[in-house]
Amino acid sequence: MKEQPIGIFDSGVGGLTVAHAIKQILPRESIIYFGDTAHLPYGDKSAESIRYYSQRITEFLLEYNSKVVLIACNSASASAFDSLKQEFKNKAIIIDVIDPVVEYLHTRSFKKIGVIGTKRTISSGTYETKIKEKSPSTTVISLATPLLVPMIEEGFIFDDISNAIIRAYLSNEALAGIQALILGCTHYPIIKNQISKIFNFDVEVVDSARIVSLIVKEILDKNDLLNDSGKVKDQFFISDYTTYFEKIARMFFEGEINLKKADIWS
Ligand code: DGL
């Protein structure tokens, strides 16, 4: 059991931000990553479709004996976490990216928090509901920023086009006075610096990657599941081949990566 990999999935490159943090915090663990590039973006899909995709991907990750299935996608966390836990909790530990961030924010006592994410995540109201449950007096401003995922997946980062789009979204008056901004999409850490700059680095920009990885470490440790074998093998799968995925994956995991196309939808 200890040697089994940590399964991680997202619609595309976004979950690599989480996979990267996992490898930094747990370098002795093997990971198996699935990017569902055939169905990207998830943020525009219905909750039912995302639940269906997430269920099949989880089965795929379990075929590789994943001891943990980490939903490295906010849209899937908001739509499918409960159903995945219900269906697979006896086969693997299921972890989402929203609850750990909500727990973290609870320790920080912010008065006004902004959340940006896909249409699916924002319309689900998951962050707002969960934050309010823990900290009823916190004001939560939620804003869908649907252009950011296609922009990132198309490689528009660190340039004038992405700066203009980010500025157009974040200059929304409702966000005035926020103390923290949750990056409620795992793609967004790729442009975290550009986002922080819009707020003159005065707002704490919170992303899930490191927070969730520390939770994974704690859970593995508690369950005596940390890999102590010294054998590490990382594998990356996508459902549709894109050169951009490979480029970003190499940016995060310097050098060669073991990337294959998995035909799980045919
Ligand atoms: N990175 C995902 C998220 O956290 C999915 C983005 C998308 O495919 O729309 O929501």
Side-chain angles (χ1 to χ4, degrees), residues 43 74-75 115-123 127 142-149 169 182-186 188:
N74 288 261
S75 311
V115 190
I116 54 171
T118 66
K119 286 190 216 162
R120 170 63 31 230
T121 300
I122 296 302
S123 69
Y127 273 103
S142 306
L143 191 70
T145 50
L147 283 181
L148 298 184
V149 168
Y169 277 135
I182 304 169
L183 302 187
C185 172
T186 52
Y188 301 173

Side-chain angles (χ1 to χ4, degrees), residues 64-104:
Y64 284 81
N65 297 319
S66 299
K67 58 186 171 188
V68 168
V69 172
L70 172 53
I71 312 169
C73 171
N74 288 261
S75 311
S77 294
S79 312
F81 183 39
D82 290 341
S83 59
L84 292 184
K85 263 193 310 197
Q86 217 173 14
E87 189 168 349
F88 299 105
K89 67 171 185 290
N90 297 328
K91 301 201 167 108
I93 299 165
I94 313 288
I95 299 175
D96 77 321
V97 282
I98 296 179
D99 286 353
V101 169
V102 171
E103 284 294 335
Y104 166 76

Side-chain angles (χ1 to χ4, degrees), residues 109-229:
S109 331
F110 293 116
K111 293 206 165 33
K112 186 174 178 185
I113 298 175
V115 190
I116 54 171
T118 66
K119 286 190 216 162
R120 170 63 31 230
T121 300
I122 296 302
S123 69
S124 75
T126 308
Y127 273 103
E128 203 161 336
T129 309
K130 291 191 168 182
I131 292 170
K132 288 274 186 193
E133 263 166 32
K134 295 212 159 266
S135 329
S137 61
T138 305
T139 302
V140 182
I141 305 293
S142 306
L143 191 70
T145 50
L147 283 181
L148 298 184
V149 168
M151 178 190 96
I152 293 166
E153 289 281 341
E154 287 298 324
F156 289 107
I157 46 177
F158 317 126
D159 62 5
D160 293 347
I161 294 174
S162 50
N163 271 329
I165 296 174
I166 294 166
R167 185 170 291 283
Y169 277 135
L170 299 184
S171 54
N172 188 310
E173 267 179 28
L175 293 175
I178 55 167
Q179 295 158 301
L181 179 73
I182 304 169
L183 302 187
C185 172
T186 52
H187 280 68
Y188 301 173
I190 295 173
I191 50 169
K192 186 172 182 174
N193 201 45
Q194 284 169 280
I195 290 173
S196 299
K197 225 166 154 180
I198 302 276
F199 295 101
N200 293 321
F201 299 95
D202 273 348
V203 164
E204 181 171 336
V205 178
V206 181
D207 77 77
S208 57
R210 194 180 148 76
I211 295 171
V212 170
S213 300
L214 290 170
I215 294 290
V216 173
K217 182 175 178 193
E218 195 184 305
I219 292 175
L220 288 180
D221 195 15
K222 214 164 68 195
N223 290 284
D224 195 22
L225 283 174
L226 286 165
N227 183 9
D228 48 17
S229 71

Side-chain angles (χ1 to χ4, degrees), residues 8 14-25 31 33 70 72 209 213 236 252-253:
I8 303 173
L16 292 173
T17 60
V18 181
H20 179 64
I22 289 278
K23 290 301 292 187
Q24 284 193 318
I25 289 161
I31 60 168
Y33 185 89
L70 172 53
S213 300
F236 297 83
F252 280 113
F253 300 94

